[in-house]
Amino acid sequence: MKIGIEVITGFLGAGKSAFINSLIDKTIVENEKIVVMLCESGNTTVKERNCNNLKQEEYKVNSSKDIKKGNDIGYVKVIEFMDESEKMKDKLLDIISSYNPNRIIIEYNGTESLDYLYRSVFNKEIEKKCRIYTMYYICDGENVEFYIKNMGDILLPFIQNSDVIVINNYTKLKSREIENRESENIKTKNARQERDNIKSSKDNKSRYSKDNIESGDCLHNIIKDLEALNNRAHIILAKNNEDISKALEESNLLESKTVRNIRVKLQDVLKNSKQVRK
């Protein structure tokens, strides 16, 4: 059974590291070994941890030697990769050899070319051992519209190849829209029609993870733009970094803990059987 790779992309400051912490919190199971490869430095720290409820002083994930000594203990190991993207394949092979994880999470720089990532992950050597499970694109609701209009050449490959798109900080859009509407109402005296438009927009949100959201036209238009670029991706809305965990849970997109437990145990059994044969 191959090692699962999850890719989290997006611009700096969109909430990728916060998303990774929430994703791990919601999905990690007992004895699961996860390596997070960070390709940029963000404002939020991705937490190293264990998943067997040991105290931090009892078990620290500091090196591959420590991990191999405690190979029956689940963990999250964070590795920074700030080299040229062309060297990513070699780093992935090193991670696989040193840690033999159940899962690898890659936080990928949203301004880099997606080709570098694909050339690494779909390399023949890597493909024998790993496969991409899910690709997430995290965007900041406050500026995603600007980025789509002005930096489309960079964004399009990430948006179009994502399985899940997370619009973080969407409430900032609503606040901005309220300010714009107040200004417009002074000029047009058309407040009633504005409220009707907002209600109409809200009624169309039932298929997203936040069913009862008062989103307004700005968010509605951004969602329409994203759907036009990638109509197969699931869209998740989060108020802020602290709300990501709840939004993930409400999305019903995550694999159940029971299924993941079985997957991890099966992976470990197959890995141990290979080692015995060697």
Side-chain angles (χ1 to χ4, degrees):
M1 184 174 286
K2 294 183 179 181
I3 298 167
I5 293 179
E6 292 169 302
V7 179
I8 288 78
T9 70
F11 281 178
L12 188 67
K16 296 191 297 298
S17 297
F19 179 84
I20 290 171
N21 284 329
S22 296
L23 180 66
I24 293 172
D25 285 341
K26 288 297 178 185
T27 58
I28 194 167
V29 296
E30 188 177 12
N31 298 331
E32 185 176 16
K33 302 162 186 65
I34 301 172
V35 173
V36 181
M37 186 168 77
L38 304 180
C39 300
E40 64 180 11
S41 297
N43 297 324
T44 303
T45 301
V46 176
K47 298 177 290 185
E48 288 195 335
R49 70 193 89 174
N50 63 75
C51 61
N52 290 15
N53 299 318
L54 296 179
K55 294 179 181 178
Q56 186 67 26
E57 59 268 22
E58 291 176 346
Y59 182 73
K60 293 184 179 180
V61 184
N62 290 325
S63 68
S64 58
K65 184 178 179 182
D66 294 333
I67 289 170
K68 287 174 181 176
K69 281 182 179 178
N71 58 11
D72 58 337
I73 300 173
Y75 59 79
V76 176
K77 172 64 180 175
V78 178
I79 295 174
E80 291 189 352
F81 174 71
M82 303 299 170
D83 290 338
E84 295 87 354
S85 299
E86 294 91 335
K87 297 180 181 178
M88 182 178 287
K89 183 202 77 172
D90 294 332
K91 189 63 180 179
L92 283 171
L93 289 172
D94 179 62
I95 288 171
I96 294 166
S97 173
S98 299
Y99 301 102
N100 198 15
N102 300 102
R103 184 168 27 147
I104 298 172
I105 298 175
I106 301 174
E107 182 183 13
Y108 192 71
N109 190 328
T111 61
E112 288 279 2
S113 171
L114 193 58
D115 289 341
Y116 293 134
L117 175 68
Y118 277 3
R119 280 203 293 267
S120 299
V121 174
F122 295 116
N123 172 275
K124 287 184 179 180
E125 268 187 284
I126 300 292
E127 278 194 306
K128 289 178 182 177
K129 304 173 184 291
C130 307
R131 75 178 182 90
I132 291 183
Y133 280 173
T134 311
M135 187 165 173
Y136 299 89
Y137 182 77
I138 318 299
C139 58
D140 188 337
E142 189 174 23
N143 53 40
V144 64
E145 189 175 24
F146 172 83
Y147 286 150
I148 290 175
K149 288 179 179 178
N150 296 280
M151 304 179 71
D153 291 345
I154 297 174
L155 291 184
L156 283 180
F158 292 99
I159 293 173
Q160 290 172 333
N161 288 279
S162 293
D163 303 294
V164 178
I165 297 172
V166 179
I167 304 177
N168 194 17
N169 299 319
Y170 78 85
T171 51
K172 291 183 180 180
L173 271 172
K174 189 168 71 171
S175 299
R176 189 178 71 191
E177 184 177 25
I178 289 171
E179 292 175 3
N180 291 341
R181 284 220 166 97
E182 287 175 349
S183 175
E184 186 178 344
N185 289 341
I186 293 173
K187 297 177 182 178
T188 65
K189 308 296 184 182
N190 197 19
R192 180 173 296 178
Q193 184 61 44
E194 292 283 331
R195 288 195 297 271
D196 291 342
N197 288 342
I198 292 175
K199 184 179 184 302
S200 175
S201 178
K202 180 180 68 175
D203 291 341
N204 290 329
K205 291 278 114 31
S206 60
R207 82 177 205 78
Y208 301 108
S209 58
K210 301 282 186 178
D211 290 344
N212 298 318
I213 201 170
E214 292 184 3
S215 56
D217 290 339
C218 285
L219 181 57
H220 180 63
N221 290 337
I222 287 172
I223 290 174
K224 284 175 64 178
D225 289 342
L226 291 172
E227 286 180 329
L229 295 171
N230 182 349
N231 60 12
R232 65 177 179 80
H234 297 276
I235 296 176
I236 298 176
L237 308 178
K239 295 177 182 176
N240 48 45
N241 287 353
E242 290 70 33
D243 186 54
I244 290 175
S245 184
K246 181 182 177 183
L248 267 173
E249 188 173 353
E250 291 179 354
S251 72
N252 295 320
L253 296 175
L254 301 178
E255 189 176 52
S256 73
K257 287 289 184 80
T258 301
V259 173
R260 187 168 288 280
N261 247 316
I262 294 171
R263 185 194 300 278
V264 168
K265 287 178 180 178
L266 183 57
Q267 279 181 314
D268 290 341
V269 167
L270 292 174
K271 284 190 288 188
N272 291 334
S273 66
K274 287 181 181 178
Q275 290 174 355
V276 170
R277 287 200 297 270
K278 289 179 181 178

